[in-house]
Amino acid sequence: MNELQFEALLPFIVLAAASMAVILLIAFRMSHTVIQVAAFLMACLVIFAMWYVKDTLPQSVPPLFVVDGFGALFTGMIIFSMMAVGLFSYIYFEEREENPKEYYILLFLATLGAATLTISTHFISLFIGLEVLSVSLYALIAYLRNRNNAVESGMKYLVLAAVSSAFLLFGMALIYMETGSMEFERIAQSIKESSSSVLFSMGFGIMVVAIGFKLALVPFHLWAADVYQGAPSPVTAFIATVSKIGVFAVLLRFAQSVNLPQYPLVISIFSVIAMASMIVGNLLALRQQNIKRLMGYSSIAHFGYLLVAFLPGNAAGVEAAAFYLLAYSITLLAVFGVISVLSTRMKDAEDLVIYKGLFHKQPILTAVLSICFLSLAGIPLTAGFIAKFFILASGVQQNLWLPVLVLVITSVIGLYYYLRVISTLFAASSSTGTTAKTLHPFFYISTYIALIVMMLLLFWLGIFPGRAVEGIREFLLIR
Amino acid sequence: MILVWLIAILLIGGTLCWLLAQWNKVFPKWIALCATVAGLVLMVWLCLQYKNSGDGAGSEWFINYRLSWIPAFGISFHLALDGLSLVLLLLTFFLGILSVLCSWNEIKEKHGFYFFNLLWTLAGICGVFVAMDLFLFYFFWEVMLVPMYFLISIWGDTNRRYASYKFFLFTQAGGLLMLLSILALYFIHAQQTGIYSFDYFDLLHTSPGASTAKWIMMGFLFAFMVKLPVVPFHSWLPDAHSEAPTAGSLILAGLLLKTGAYGIIRFVLTLFPQQAQAFGWWAMLLGAIGILYGAFLAFAQTDLKRLIAYTSVSHMGFVLLGIFAFNEIAMQGVIMQILTHGISTGALFVMAGMLKERLHTRDINQMGGLWTAMPFMGGAAMLFTMASLGLPMLGNFIAEFLILIGAFSASAALTVLATLGLIFSACYALRMMQKVFLGPATVTAPLKDMNVREWVMMSALTIGIIVLGLFPQPVIDMVKGVVGALVD
């Protein structure tokens, strides 16, 4: 490895070192506050490292990694999401858990796993990244071990993720048998040369099981609602954003390198999965009374939408997907931020009843939450609309009429439950329970500021998406 | 630039309403009133300026303003004004002022947020009437939807949640199909010319294949027919109208329905002329069915606002009938109908709101003999009921007369059917009048007749409907160029 390659990997090395640093801080019996602040600074350091190396990109680190604009874009989203999650975690865990410190080690490790995925060009690095991510998530989900739901959902995730890893390995093995290589580029070359690709198709089909599981696509979605409900709110935000961005990025990269759209079978499988996810996710969310479960089902639907942008396999599709992930992560982080702030010591603010008439008690949080839900529903002035528009555009461009029509119809269905939440927020007030604020006001203020910034970002992306689109294009061109 | 200001006044005014409401509860309504009055003054000034340019001699576009917005996708911020947009904007601000006035005392809580929503809805409507970029048009189309949803779901009546969901879901379903059509048109245009653009004037010259064009037109038409509404898609309307607060009903009936008609005239007829011609007879049939069906259902209602809502369905049938008759005289009638229906039905909704404020009910079985207690209101109600059933001298007569003349040459049978609607309209209108204001008095509590604010509103509406009935020529001149270009 030469110096440039080392530099290109610097952000990831800093990320790995950060988890070590947190361990050391815990060993020195530092307080939660110190660790929180240190974690924040280290996340800033990672971003600084990315800034520092951005001119040297793209750098390939054969055979495992390539650090290019694509990887940098998704890693950036992952790091920013992680910072938001870390910020919300302080208030959330300080109130509930006597020992919230190890949480940050796991958070950094999981982030490292997800970030590794975005730069992998080899099955080994893909698998290691995925396992680092999954193993940290098992512990993160069950972190509040006194709660029944948490342990149950942790177990559920553990068992299903282990099974899906097995599928992933089996699929990789089949592809290796066919092509004799585990590098994406080599695989692409050898299947181009050989005529039959039965084993490859089969192998990829089996890998789809694992990827579908991680992205919670129908029919591999059964864990989603339970885990979303059982996990601590910041962790749910983490699963919904960081882990899914990472997995989606590696899926995109693999699809691009082997030119997946040339296999009609694979494309039809993906379009069936996409349509099933949109329909099932939206239908199951309709009657949910638990906002975390509702978000779980809605995320199934949203990844169905996202797959519509993945299907064409062209540049417009990748751009649309990147923009969609950006808008979606901001929205979800803000939603779970609000949920974390409203949660009490005993219970997360997950029942819709708690939100009744929130407008009268917490106008700022209500504004943030309603903008987020409008954005999820894809209403203009918010980022969600532009994101959905880009996806529709990339679908219509390739004449994918069936998935596009399903998208349109299901998003009308989806609108119903988003409106249900919004009208609950603005309903006449009933309960009066307010959370007693016991912590230093600094953390509340910074959380509120973060939420407001996210809301403004949603508006900015919704009204002037030009700059963001250009930025995404520039990043994607670095390769 | 002046068009941007028109919209900006409403947007800024709305935001100010919300922000300043914390200091003083009276601020929002005055700000809202000032914003709408300023808009109307601007519009009247524009109207005087372009009074003589609508006759088709020069360019039919008075103002054309274009800014780049998202150049990567060929989306521009393109506003333009012609005679049609101008009269519709005039109506928008006129009814806008009235909607602020009629919520003066009705709204008891959350004043700031209420007027914010009211003004933003109006801004969305204005935007729809002047947007000449299809993306921007869709954008405004949705912007007017969300605040209206809040108006219904927060300040509406008992069944408001159901009504607001239904309103939102119906319109959104139509809107998204329209978005698909817009996208299809955009890519077909790009394939043919290599230029990616959502601009109306660019897309005008796109010629997709015949069957594709038919499907794309259906997407547009569906959105507009839901909004208009045309009979199979009308079921959101009675719920939304009856549950909305008075100002909400006024804006829904007076303006929101008109965006559907505007959309058909502006986009469907010009982008897909042949396909629209081919669909013409069916559309006229739907229009005639709407006229009769709306009138029948209006006759059967006991809820005053629901009754008025169904009369809208009936009147909008005339609009559809006239548009698809494809001749100048019917089209003139359609534009007159858009204006006069806005005024007359708006007035009836305002009246229903006043009655509700006094009697706390919308059930006409609990009313009766109110004329003795409130003679002035009774008189005003009589006038607008007569307008609604198409009495000569009042605006609606001119409109319906022109539409029927025009439609007769297109399809005699359907026109005969539609004319029957006029008889039924007399039935429901007279029944309404009879039940509410005449007959034995059932309400014993003392009732106040109209106060000054209500007087002002009613006189403005009365003057409007009579002037349109006696001197329709200025409107006809104003839209002559547009109509001429459409019919060719």
Side-chain angles (χ1 to χ4, degrees), chain B residues 49-251:
Chain B
Q49 198 166 17
Y50 296 105
K51 195 170 57 181
N52 299 320
S53 19
D55 51 5
S59 163
E60 54 191 270
W61 298 96
F62 305 155
I63 303 178
N64 212 336
Y65 180 78
R66 189 169 176 171
L67 262 183
S68 183
W69 181 18
I70 313 175
F73 286 82
I75 298 169
S76 60
F77 189 83
H78 187 181
L79 305 177
L81 185 82
D82 65 353
L84 178 63
S85 306
L86 197 142
V87 293
L88 287 171
L89 282 182
L90 211 53
L91 180 74
T92 307
F93 283 101
F94 178 63
L95 293 183
I97 296 177
L98 292 178
S99 66
V100 174
L101 283 177
C102 75
S103 13
W104 208 256
N105 293 331
E106 188 191 353
I107 300 309
K108 303 275 190 288
E109 45 168 12
K110 289 178 267 192
H111 298 80
F113 193 49
Y114 176 84
F115 284 103
F116 168 80
N117 283 319
L118 195 68
L119 291 189
W120 276 59
T121 309
L122 289 174
I125 294 168
C126 284
V128 163
F129 288 147
V130 292
M132 285 302 141
D133 180 283
L134 265 72
F135 184 86
L136 187 67
F137 174 76
Y138 180 78
F139 195 81
F140 281 127
W141 184 263
E142 299 277 309
V143 167
M144 68 183 180
L145 197 59
V146 181
M148 189 38 114
Y149 163 78
F150 279 122
L151 282 184
I152 300 175
S153 77
I154 301 180
W155 293 274
D157 255 338
T158 35
N159 203 11
R160 55 179 180 262
R161 279 182 83 164
Y162 172 74
S164 57
Y165 287 158
K166 207 165 170 183
F167 164 71
F168 205 130
L169 292 180
F170 267 71
T171 3
Q172 183 72 5
L176 280 172
L177 286 178
M178 176 167 80
L179 183 62
L180 278 190
S181 289
I182 293 174
L183 282 171
L185 204 60
Y186 167 76
F187 284 113
I188 289 170
H189 175 77
Q191 266 170 16
Q192 287 176 352
T193 61
I195 302 166
Y196 285 93
S197 165
F198 280 98
D199 200 275
Y200 173 68
F201 298 104
D202 289 341
L203 295 179
L204 268 183
H205 309 297
T206 313
S207 46
S211 68
T212 324
K214 194 175 113 198
W215 284 107
I216 298 178
M217 180 191 79
M218 282 301 170
F220 277 97
L221 207 52
F222 184 70
F224 299 141
M225 295 214 298
V226 168
K227 202 75 159 199
L228 192 56
V230 173
V231 153
F233 316 114
H234 69 288
S235 82
W236 63 271
L237 179 132
D239 288 312
H241 280 59
S242 54
E243 298 301 324
T246 310
S249 313
L250 175 67
I251 292 178

Side-chain angles (χ1 to χ4, degrees), chain A residues 42-155:
Chain A
M42 284 185 288
C44 290
L45 199 64
V46 176
I47 288 167
F48 177 74
M50 288 176 71
W51 181 258
Y52 176 70
V53 303
K54 80 175 167 38
D55 292 330
T56 63
L57 303 183
Q59 271 308 321
S60 133
V61 190
L64 292 183
F65 302 116
V66 58
V67 188
D68 54 2
F70 178 91
L73 178 66
F74 286 103
T75 311
M77 281 194 225
I78 285 174
I79 302 291
F80 276 109
S81 307
M82 190 268 278
M83 281 171 80
V85 170
L87 181 62
F88 300 143
S89 305
Y90 181 80
I91 297 179
Y92 188 86
F93 282 103
E94 182 65 23
E95 284 188 342
R96 293 173 184 72
E97 173 67 41
E98 72 276 16
N99 202 3
K101 297 169 192 168
E102 283 80 5
Y103 172 83
Y104 294 93
I105 309 173
L106 294 167
L107 199 63
F108 272 111
L109 280 177
T111 312
L112 177 66
T116 312
L117 286 177
T118 64
I119 55 164
S120 321
T121 54
H122 195 284
F123 279 159
I124 294 298
S125 48
L126 191 167
F127 188 72
I128 290 176
L130 203 63
E131 284 304 293
V132 170
L133 174 63
S134 301
V135 173
S136 325
L137 277 181
Y138 305 150
L140 280 175
I141 290 169
Y143 202 81
L144 293 176
R145 61 196 179 285
N146 297 325
R147 290 194 192 169
N148 286 339
N149 274 345
V151 177
E152 181 203 323
S153 55
M155 278 305 290

Side-chain angles (χ1 to χ4, degrees), chain A residues 359-360 374 379-381 385-386 389-390 392-393 396-397 401 404-405 408 411-412 415-416 419-420 422-424 426 463-466 469 473, chain B residues 18 69-70 72-73 75 110 113 120 135 138-139 142-143 146 149-150 153-154 161 165 168-169 172-173 176-177 179-180 183-184 187 196 198:
Chain A
F359 181 57
H360 308 275
L374 288 176
I379 304 296
L381 285 178
F385 166 67
I386 302 284
F389 170 78
F390 287 160
L392 281 177
V396 169
Q397 193 178 11
W401 286 108
V404 165
L405 274 179
V408 164
S411 47
V412 174
L415 189 58
Y416 172 76
L419 286 184
R420 204 157 55 90
I422 293 173
S423 61
T424 310
F426 286 93
I463 301 173
F464 303 108
V469 173
R473 268 188 196 168
Chain B
W18 196 2
W69 181 18
I70 313 175
F73 286 82
I75 298 169
K110 289 178 267 192
F113 193 49
W120 276 59
F135 184 86
Y138 180 78
F139 195 81
E142 299 277 309
V143 167
V146 181
Y149 163 78
F150 279 122
S153 77
I154 301 180
R161 279 182 83 164
Y165 287 158
F168 205 130
L169 292 180
Q172 183 72 5
L176 280 172
L177 286 178
L179 183 62
L180 278 190
L183 282 171
F187 284 113
Y196 285 93
F198 280 98

